[in-house]
Amino acid sequence: MPKAGIIYNDVKPIAGRVAIELKDKLTAAGWNVCITSSIGGILGYSNPESPVCHTPIDGLTPPGFDSDMEFAVVLGGDGTVLAASRQVAPCGIPLLTVNTGHMGFLTEAYLNQLPQAIEQVMTGKYEIEERAMLTVKVLRGDSVLWEALCLNEMVLHREPLTSMCHFEIAVGHHAPVDIAADGVIVSTPTGSTAYSLSAGGPVVTPGVPVLQLVPICPHSLASRALVFPDTEPVNIYPVNIPRLVMVVDGNGGCYIFPEDRVYLERSPYSVKFIRLQPTEFFRILREKLGWGLPHIAKPTSVELP
């Protein structure tokens, strides 16, 4: 019996309702279906009294989800996709992402396209696009205090975000650099259209094997976004700051103290996204972000999204 999964945002009633309907449909078609909430992929939030809320990377995989699963359907928005990616990336399960949220930049289909999308996936008529992830660790000496998988970005900043931070950052075996800024972002190509973009970083197409370091509101004109090979790890040391907070993919993290070190490297795991049609990244940029449209729209000469 073939095996499939469903991961849904249990905060949104429509996602929960569709998840139950989809489970019944797949079960009737002879599939063994496991269903879970995306809340299992949400990273715990720390607080000053409990500065580390640590769930090991392999500890987020839901019961029943394993490498025998042919695909999993994700019902939600971009936040749900990020959480689901952390849940299943260690198992290598392909994800069909269906938007029940707002922008849905990371999603492949809309809710009204779900019946046709499921039929297409059940017959194996799709392609797989792999997206690189980061492994983020907080180290104190040789001890790992915290770790997580990251699809978009890691952000390190002061709490609250109101004053300058100082960082010593070493990329690979290159000489460390000192950066003074409100914070720093280390982003994957997937994350280049998220916080990194808002902070002035470049858009990177998903297949390029790079990472980028983006200072947030840097004090120096010389501190600008840096793009470097994803084969080079990154070490970040906070300097002269009592305490920083780190956030991964916008939903959780831990406090960083002066004796701590943040270590990032390309993860051995990647996210596998199901694509129902040939991937066209520029089309997504155009439809979701308005990239490439003329500054004056001419209805007779341009097709608006």
Side-chain angles (χ1 to χ4, degrees):
M1 180 180 293
K3 188 176 181 180
I6 299 173
I7 302 173
Y8 68 99
N9 184 346
D10 59 0
V11 176
K12 298 180 179 179
I14 187 171
R17 184 172 66 252
V18 172
I20 297 300
E21 294 173 355
L22 180 58
K23 180 181 179 181
D24 292 341
K25 177 178 179 178
L26 289 171
T27 301
W31 288 71
N32 178 17
V33 182
C34 297
I35 186 169
T36 189
S37 164
S38 63
I39 195 170
I42 299 297
L43 301 172
Y45 284 91
S46 303
N47 58 64
E49 288 71 39
S50 179
V52 177
C53 188
H54 181 206
T55 301
I57 287 173
D58 295 337
L60 296 180
T61 303
F65 283 68
D66 53 40
S67 57
D68 293 332
M69 188 169 282
E70 295 195 20
F71 67 90
V73 180
V74 179
L75 300 167
D78 288 335
T80 307
V81 175
L82 292 170
S85 298
R86 284 189 291 273
Q87 289 174 286
V88 306
C91 301
I93 301 171
L95 295 177
L96 173 63
T97 53
V98 180
N99 185 23
T100 65
H102 299 290
M103 177 177 288
F105 193 89
L106 295 174
T107 57
E108 176 67 8
Y110 292 97
L111 199 54
N112 62 351
Q113 300 170 321
L114 180 57
Q116 297 88 346
I118 286 296
E119 292 297 327
Q120 189 172 338
V121 172
M122 289 171 63
T123 56
K125 297 178 180 178
Y126 59 85
E127 298 178 357
I128 294 291
E129 181 190 18
E130 293 198 30
R131 296 286 185 96
M133 302 186 81
L134 283 171
T135 296
V136 183
K137 295 182 178 181
V138 178
L139 302 170
R140 184 170 296 170
D142 295 328
S143 301
V144 177
L145 302 183
W146 190 92
E147 65 178 354
L149 282 179
C150 168
L151 178 58
N152 267 356
E153 76 280 299
M154 182 284 308
V155 182
L156 189 60
H157 62 81
R158 197 164 183 170
E159 188 184 45
L161 187 58
T162 56
S163 57
M164 192 71 64
C165 304
H166 293 267
F167 307 93
E168 184 179 277
I169 302 176
V171 176
H173 298 291
H174 302 288
V177 295
D178 295 319
I179 291 179
D182 285 354
V184 292
I185 302 168
V186 178
S187 167
T188 67
T190 298
S192 71
T193 51
Y195 194 177
S196 172
L197 178 65
S198 300
V203 174
V204 180
T205 55
V208 181
V210 297
L211 302 175
Q212 57 178 309
L213 171 69
V214 183
I216 303 172
C217 299
H219 184 258
S220 170
L221 291 174
S223 295
R224 290 295 175 262
L226 172 69
V227 178
F228 55 93
D230 64 7
T231 55
E232 298 188 296
V234 181
N235 284 284
I236 303 177
Y237 303 86
V239 179
N240 297 331
I241 292 293
R243 186 179 70 213
L244 297 175
V245 65
M246 183 180 68
V247 178
V248 171
D249 283 344
N251 75 41
C254 71
Y255 283 89
I256 309 297
F257 293 90
E259 61 267 30
D260 298 335
R261 166 171 61 100
V262 178
Y263 176 81
L264 306 99
E265 65 179 356
R266 177 167 177 167
S267 173
Y269 305 127
S270 60
V271 184
K272 296 181 179 180
F273 287 133
I274 290 175
R275 300 306 183 200
L276 303 176
Q277 54 186 338
T279 303
E280 178 45 73
F281 184 66
F282 286 0
R283 176 183 60 81
I284 298 172
L285 288 181
R286 177 186 173 93
E287 292 179 357
K288 303 291 186 178
L289 298 180
W291 183 81
L293 292 178
H295 65 283
I296 300 176
K298 301 179 179 65
T300 58
S301 62
V302 64
E303 180 183 355
L304 297 176

